[in-house]
Amino acid sequence: MDADEIEEEEFGFSRNYFLAKEVGSSRKKSARKLSEIDLVDEEELREVAANIEPKHEKEVNDLINSYKSLYSEWLFVLRCGFALLMYGFGSKKALIEDSATRSLTEYSVVVVNGYLQSINLKQVVITLAELLWDQLKLRKKTTSGNPSKSQQPFNPKSMDDLLAFLDKPDIGDECFVCIIAHNIDGPELRDSDSQQCLASIAACSHVHMVASIDHVNVPLLWDKKMVHTQFNWYWCHVPTFAPCKVEAMFFAFILAHGATAQSVKTASIVLQSLTPNAQNVFKVLAEHQLAHSDEEGMPINNLYTTCQERFLVSSQVTLNSHLTEFKDHELIKTKRNSDGQDCLCIPLTNEALQKLIAEII
């Protein structure tokens, strides 16, 4: 091809480009808006999504089986003082839990689901400290033959005391507890305080951490000290191509009605994790809402009186703790009625609320 042909070809390409731009700009723009899209019901959309047939099952199963040969290596890395960080496309939840079930059977394991709407990291640290203390008592009983009745060597109200106990040098390397943090980059864990708390936990000599991430920009949450000194990550690339069914259960679909309201399935899962008293308090509120659907909600004072009569709460403080938990999980909302009273309501339709009550009874 000579120079004239090359020049003619480039000219033809440029002319076609500008002609396309001219034609495109002359067309009438669509008047459709995002608000005009006919959104489907969220429960229906979730049901359809759950029934999507998986593809390449054989190849995915072979891939997962290839990771199982690494379980002993991961345990060795943990015992060497590193924290495992699983990354790659797809949900790592089943893989990590299978690894823990097979490799960490001799140790105490605490699971933190970072995809939940609310997580109490202090309670996680208290649980870790109590499990480590149980290990120490069991070891003393084995060596001396007498059960240890000594008091806990830490103050559960002090985070510094708890972390100091988990990092105590004279306990022995054979005693440790494990923490599995699914989605350490979850929405409720992305703030600097939560990440620093997790880093402090991972830095304790008697705590071994296994975590998973999904967001590409997660390393921006950590400084150099957190990465190399506290977390001390050992990066594991383990793409599973598995759907995030459990994780997605706690996030509303964008193309669904009621994207800000809790679905029945999600609310049921959250309620089942609460105490029976908390479930009964929620049931009182739900029954009132169904019986008085024309009202703006149930006044907090009325809820307290009813719960006290049924011996569900002993004080206003107890009720407030239940309500805080409900609000953290977005199970209830607070409104102010025409009389100026603070009222509580559940952001579900009556039909959905009836299904939810039936599930938690």
Side-chain angles (χ1 to χ4, degrees):
M1 185 180 292
D2 56 23
D4 292 337
E5 290 176 343
I6 294 174
E7 185 176 354
E8 185 177 353
E9 182 179 354
E10 291 180 349
F11 175 75
F13 174 79
S14 302
R15 180 179 57 189
N16 291 338
Y17 171 78
F18 287 107
L19 283 173
K21 294 290 286 184
E22 183 178 352
V23 172
S25 60
S26 63
R27 290 175 182 169
K28 186 178 179 180
K29 294 183 179 180
S30 174
R32 296 296 300 273
K33 298 179 181 179
L34 186 62
S35 59
E36 296 175 356
I37 297 176
D38 185 19
L39 302 181
V40 300
D41 181 73
E42 184 171 357
E43 287 295 321
E44 181 182 347
L45 187 56
R46 287 188 184 276
E47 184 178 350
V48 172
N51 293 326
I52 296 177
E53 293 185 4
K55 296 182 179 180
H56 311 292
E57 287 187 84
K58 182 182 180 302
E59 291 79 5
V60 170
N61 288 333
D62 291 343
L63 182 64
I64 298 299
N65 289 330
S66 70
Y67 296 145
K68 293 181 180 181
S69 63
L70 300 174
Y71 287 175
S72 57
E73 177 185 330
W74 294 345
L75 178 60
F76 175 76
V77 170
L78 280 176
R79 294 188 66 89
C80 287
F82 293 93
L84 296 175
L85 185 63
M86 309 293 184
Y87 72 100
F89 185 83
S91 172
K92 277 76 65 182
K93 189 175 189 298
L95 176 66
I96 293 174
E97 291 181 354
D98 182 66
S99 171
T101 302
R102 296 171 183 267
S103 305
L104 302 175
T105 53
E106 299 179 7
Y107 310 103
S108 302
V109 179
V110 175
V111 179
V112 177
N113 295 316
Y115 48 80
L116 294 179
Q117 303 296 324
S118 180
I119 299 170
N120 189 338
L121 287 179
K122 185 174 182 180
Q123 187 58 49
V124 171
V125 179
I126 292 173
T127 304
L128 289 169
E130 289 176 345
L131 289 173
L132 182 61
W133 176 234
D134 288 341
Q135 283 188 30
L136 293 176
K137 289 191 296 182
L138 182 61
R139 190 177 67 167
K140 289 179 181 179
K141 179 182 178 181
T142 304
T143 55
S144 64
N146 295 319
S148 176
K149 296 182 180 180
S150 54
Q151 191 177 3
Q152 285 183 344
F154 54 84
N155 179 8
K157 294 183 180 180
S158 171
M159 182 67 83
D160 292 336
D161 273 9
L162 293 164
L163 293 173
F165 174 70
L166 292 170
D167 198 34
K168 200 172 181 181
D170 57 348
I171 290 179
D173 295 336
E174 66 277 5
C175 290
F176 65 85
V177 290
C178 298
I179 175 172
I180 294 177
H182 296 300
N183 298 90
I184 200 174
D185 53 338
E188 294 301 315
L189 295 177
R190 290 177 188 170
D191 60 284
S192 58
D193 290 340
S194 296
Q195 289 297 318
Q196 186 56 63
C197 181
L198 289 166
S200 300
I201 295 171
C204 295
S205 56
H206 299 289
V207 176
H208 295 323
M209 178 177 286
V210 181
S212 66
I213 58 172
D214 287 307
H215 201 285
V216 67
N217 292 324
V218 174
L220 296 176
L221 297 172
W222 309 317
D223 57 31
K224 189 175 181 180
K225 177 185 176 184
M226 293 168 70
V227 172
H228 297 293
T229 306
Q230 294 180 298
F231 282 123
N232 201 18
W233 291 126
Y234 182 88
W235 293 72
C236 301
H237 184 222
V238 286
T240 63
F241 301 96
C244 301
K245 291 183 179 180
V246 178
E247 298 91 328
M249 204 177 292
F250 295 88
F251 295 92
F253 283 104
I254 296 175
L255 296 177
H257 284 305
T260 58
Q262 285 280 1
S263 68
V264 174
K265 195 170 185 180
T266 303
S268 176
I269 291 173
V270 173
L271 285 170
Q272 287 171 11
S273 68
L274 302 180
T275 63
N277 271 6
Q279 294 177 8
N280 287 325
V281 170
F282 184 86
K283 186 180 175 184
V284 169
L285 181 60
E287 289 173 345
H288 180 275
Q289 183 164 318
L290 289 172
H292 305 83
S293 55
D294 56 331
E295 296 183 1
E296 298 173 87
M298 186 176 189
I300 296 178
N301 292 337
N302 293 1
L303 177 62
Y304 174 63
T305 302
T306 305
C307 291
Q308 199 173 35
E309 290 173 352
R310 299 186 185 183
F311 301 102
L312 299 177
V313 297
S314 56
S315 65
Q316 184 72 46
V317 175
T318 307
L319 177 63
N320 289 341
S321 66
H322 292 320
L323 296 180
T324 300
E325 202 157 21
F326 296 156
K327 290 175 184 176
D328 289 343
H329 290 89
E330 298 182 358
L331 292 173
I332 63 172
K333 290 184 177 181
T334 306
K335 293 182 179 180
R336 181 158 291 182
N337 64 11
S338 54
D339 297 333
Q341 287 181 303
D342 286 333
C343 296
L344 303 169
C345 65
I346 302 170
L348 289 172
T349 62
N350 286 352
E351 182 182 356
L353 199 52
Q354 287 172 348
K355 291 181 181 178
L356 181 59
I357 292 176
E359 289 188 12
I360 64 174
I361 290 177

